[in-house]
Amino acid sequence: MKSSMAVNGCRRVVGVVGRGHMQGVLKALSENHSGKFKTLTSTRRRKAMKEKVLGMPKPVAQRLTFDIVIGGLGWLLYEWWVKAHS
């Protein structure tokens, strides 16, 4: 189920759930569900995007760090290659 502008701030929300998702939704409702729509629809990715590192979402910061490290190693390899073959 996804939250939308139509249900924000409403006291009652009606959701249409397909047969394949029914068991998961019923399990989520029975386990520590506080009655809030947001807790039912939360995902790990949504939670991670709310965590901030230097003002950026955590997954973006992790990917940027990875790209910088790989780029730096590539540059060092290039520099070594140029010196070795000159």
Side-chain angles (χ1 to χ4, degrees), residues 48-80:
M49 290 301 280
K50 288 185 179 185
E51 292 180 33
K52 302 288 183 184
V53 175
L54 298 173
M56 291 183 281
K58 187 175 180 180
V60 174
Q62 289 174 334
R63 182 60 197 209
L64 183 62
T65 303
F66 177 77
D67 289 346
I68 289 170
V69 168
I70 295 299
L73 290 174
W75 180 256
L76 290 173
L77 182 62
Y78 170 75
E79 290 289 324
W80 173 79

Side-chain angles (χ1 to χ4, degrees), residues 12-79:
R12 244 182 233 169
V13 177
V14 176
V16 178
V17 180
R19 184 177 179 194
H21 297 281
M22 185 61 87
Q23 287 181 346
V25 170
L26 290 176
K27 183 179 177 184
L29 286 171
S30 66
E31 294 177 352
N32 300 326
H33 180 63
S34 63
K36 293 184 178 180
F37 187 75
K38 201 176 260 187
T39 60
L40 182 60
T41 60
S42 67
T43 62
R44 278 188 253 166
R45 179 177 168 88
R46 192 179 287 180
K47 287 178 185 174
M49 290 301 280
K50 288 185 179 185
E51 292 180 33
K52 302 288 183 184
V53 175
L54 298 173
M56 291 183 281
K58 187 175 180 180
V60 174
Q62 289 174 334
R63 182 60 197 209
L64 183 62
T65 303
F66 177 77
D67 289 346
I68 289 170
V69 168
I70 295 299
L73 290 174
W75 180 256
L76 290 173
L77 182 62
Y78 170 75
E79 290 289 324

